Amino acid sequence: MHLQKITLVNFKNFESQTFDFQEKINCFVGNNGVGKTNVLDAIYYLSFAKSYFNPVATQNIRHSEDFFMIDGEYKMNDKIDTVVCSLKRGHKKVVKRNGKAYEKFSEHIGYLPLVIISPADSDLIVDGSEARRKFMDNVISQSDNQYLQTLIKYHKVLIQRNSLLKYFAANRTFDGINLGVYNEQLNTYGSIIFEKRKLFLDSFIPIFKKRYETISNSSESVDLVYKTQISGDNLLELFEQNADRDRILQYTSVGVHKDDLYFEIDGFPIKKFGSQGQQKSYLIALKLAQFDFIKTISKVKPILLLDDIFDKLDDLRVTQLVNLVNKDEFGQIFLSDTHKKRTEKIVKATQKPYKIFQL
């Protein structure tokens, strides 16, 4: 699988532009603000029906315009597939594959596997648990649509339960039977999510550790630690034990939506004890492990987006990355950089066919 061509119309800073891509490595170079990352984000959009950088869909429409469109042409084995994402102000987003619109965007997730490595990934270290849960859910969902559908159902019920708790507080009433119905549903969906996350991490953590060791070429040890409230109790018991607390707080304080992943280096939080280079290596290893995991499960090499990742990496780590890319385990790669000479030197060293776009 590879992306042959993409056309952007009124997407972010692009009025109308088409790019024809090389099957292996494609580079976007230029000063900050010219749209390098926007092209990568458009490619991401075709896989996930949303932006990686801006969750407000209408803000991806070019200023003073009424709509945007992203049109991608993919070579899938011996056939050509087209995917089009479009949005008009005041209307719902539309995602079409070969001319047929999806009823649910979730049905598209995993069809075009993709992994992005970006400076924005630092949110995984500095932000709260939600960012790390989303990372975990994203990896699993690309290879397990049942997990994604279960996750959607869980969050839908969670919203309903929270609304009910707010209703109880506003009306000074309580209905334990009605609340119990939501508890049962959350228990059913949450138990599936919990078990699948555990199984995923059992496979994922060794892959991640191996990737970090290769990139950093160092002796420090890294780990991912799964933190959940479910240990020793099932979800139903947790909901019942925290019912009074939830009534006071007016939201659901326990469940798999509170799970977290602790990022550790030598047994300590990497947020506090990791250098800038170590943190960047940690994040790159995390994303490359995501690539490995999805490739193993789906039997397809995901598209890999590398957004400005060479900054803040020393020569050793850049060399290790080049050596990785030089292997045939990767498929199509897109990267952005502000330094054209650096980019040319790096991609030439991979000995792979490449194309450079000066923006």
Side-chain angles (χ1 to χ4, degrees):
M1 176 197 76
H2 69 274
L3 177 60
Q4 292 189 145
K5 179 192 294 186
I6 194 171
T7 298
L8 310 179
V9 179
N10 296 332
F11 183 74
K12 299 193 176 185
N13 69 310
F14 290 97
E15 181 179 2
S16 180
Q17 191 153 348
T18 297
F19 299 93
D20 293 290
F21 295 129
Q22 162 60 237
E23 188 174 345
K24 293 304 292 185
I25 302 176
N26 299 274
C27 314
F28 300 95
V29 297
N31 296 327
N32 290 324
V34 297
K36 304 183 301 297
T37 297
N38 292 345
V39 183
L40 299 188
D41 199 24
I43 298 169
Y44 182 91
Y45 218 114
L46 290 174
S47 285
F48 294 97
K50 64 181 180 180
S51 166
Y52 186 70
F53 301 99
N54 192 339
V56 182
T58 54
Q59 291 179 5
N60 295 305
I61 300 175
R62 191 166 178 261
H63 292 311
S64 76
E65 300 294 342
D66 291 329
F67 76 99
F68 78 73
M69 183 194 72
I70 309 168
D71 188 336
E73 186 179 287
Y74 292 83
K75 182 75 177 292
M76 309 285 286
N77 297 321
D78 296 324
K79 63 187 180 76
I80 302 297
D81 271 15
T82 59
V83 176
V84 179
C85 298
S86 60
L87 175 68
K88 187 174 182 179
R89 294 188 194 277
H91 294 72
K92 289 184 177 180
K93 188 190 305 176
V94 177
V95 180
K96 294 181 179 179
R97 184 175 129 206
N98 296 329
K100 185 178 180 181
Y102 283 97
E103 290 185 11
K104 298 178 180 178
F105 298 153
S106 60
E107 295 171 354
H108 181 63
I109 306 304
Y111 181 70
L112 301 172
L114 178 147
V115 173
I116 183 170
I117 304 177
S118 162
D121 296 335
S122 61
D123 291 349
L124 290 169
I125 291 176
V126 301
D127 282 4
S129 60
E130 183 180 2
R132 292 180 287 278
R133 278 195 307 277
K134 282 184 176 179
F135 166 76
M136 187 162 43
D137 292 338
N138 176 284
V139 182
I140 304 172
S141 295
Q142 284 199 70
S143 53
D144 186 346
N145 193 261
Q146 182 193 20
Y147 177 84
L148 177 57
Q149 298 304 327
T150 303
L151 198 65
I152 291 169
K153 291 173 184 175
Y154 178 91
H155 282 285
K156 184 178 180 180
V157 176
L158 181 66
I159 290 170
Q160 293 170 335
R161 188 179 191 270
N162 288 343
S163 295
L164 185 62
L165 290 167
K166 287 181 173 62
Y167 174 83
F168 290 159
N171 294 274
R172 297 183 180 181
T173 185
F174 181 73
D175 182 350
I177 295 176
N178 202 355
L179 192 66
V181 172
Y182 290 128
N183 292 352
E184 290 281 359
Q185 292 180 56
L186 288 177
N187 177 55
T188 299
Y189 300 138
S191 297
I192 295 170
I193 293 166
F194 170 66
E195 291 298 333
K196 284 182 178 283
R197 283 176 178 171
K198 280 202 308 180
L199 285 173
F200 158 68
L201 289 169
D202 285 345
S203 301
F204 184 79
I205 291 173
I207 300 170
F208 161 68
K209 289 182 176 180
K210 186 176 180 181
R211 278 297 191 189
Y212 184 86
E213 184 179 343
T214 302
I215 294 169
S216 64
N217 197 28
S218 64
S219 58
E220 70 248 23
S221 63
V222 292
D223 204 0
L224 292 169
V225 181
Y226 182 32
K227 294 294 182 180
T228 180
Q229 300 164 321
I230 302 177
S231 301
D233 293 306
N234 64 40
L235 268 173
L236 206 54
E237 290 173 345
L238 277 176
F239 292 137
E240 291 169 355
Q241 290 167 5
N242 289 272
D244 291 339
R245 182 178 179 220
D246 288 356
R247 287 177 64 186
I248 295 169
L249 295 172
Q250 300 177 41
Y251 65 82
T252 308
S253 62
V254 293
V256 294
H257 59 289
K258 296 292 185 180
D259 285 356
D260 199 356
L261 274 179
Y262 285 11
F263 292 179
E264 294 185 351
I265 184 165
D266 289 333
F268 297 97
I270 194 166
K271 180 179 179 179
K272 293 182 178 179
F273 295 92
S275 68
Q276 199 170 43
Q278 286 172 329
Q279 289 185 5
K280 191 147 191 175
S281 295
Y282 193 102
L283 292 170
I284 292 173
L286 202 65
K287 292 302 191 79
L288 291 179
Q290 175 185 2
F291 179 96
D292 293 338
F293 180 84
I294 293 171
K295 185 181 75 169
T296 299
I297 300 298
S298 67
K299 310 300 181 187
V300 174
K301 294 177 181 177
I303 288 173
L304 183 61
L305 309 182
L306 305 176
D307 180 29
D308 195 26
I309 69 166
F310 300 117
D311 279 348
K312 299 184 181 68
L313 283 183
D314 55 35
D315 290 342
L316 173 63
R317 285 175 166 84
V318 170
T319 301
Q320 296 291 357
L321 266 179
V322 171
N323 290 338
L324 286 173
V325 173
N326 200 20
K327 298 177 181 177
D328 289 329
E329 61 190 280
F330 291 99
Q332 192 176 27
I333 297 173
F334 297 85
L335 65 89
S336 69
D337 195 7
T338 52
H339 299 86
K340 186 177 180 180
K341 289 184 178 179
R342 175 172 63 186
T343 300
E344 284 185 315
K345 180 181 177 182
I346 289 170
V347 296
K348 281 181 180 178
T350 67
Q351 301 176 9
K352 301 290 183 185
Y354 67 88
K355 194 171 184 178
I356 295 180
F357 300 87
Q358 178 78 50
L359 298 181

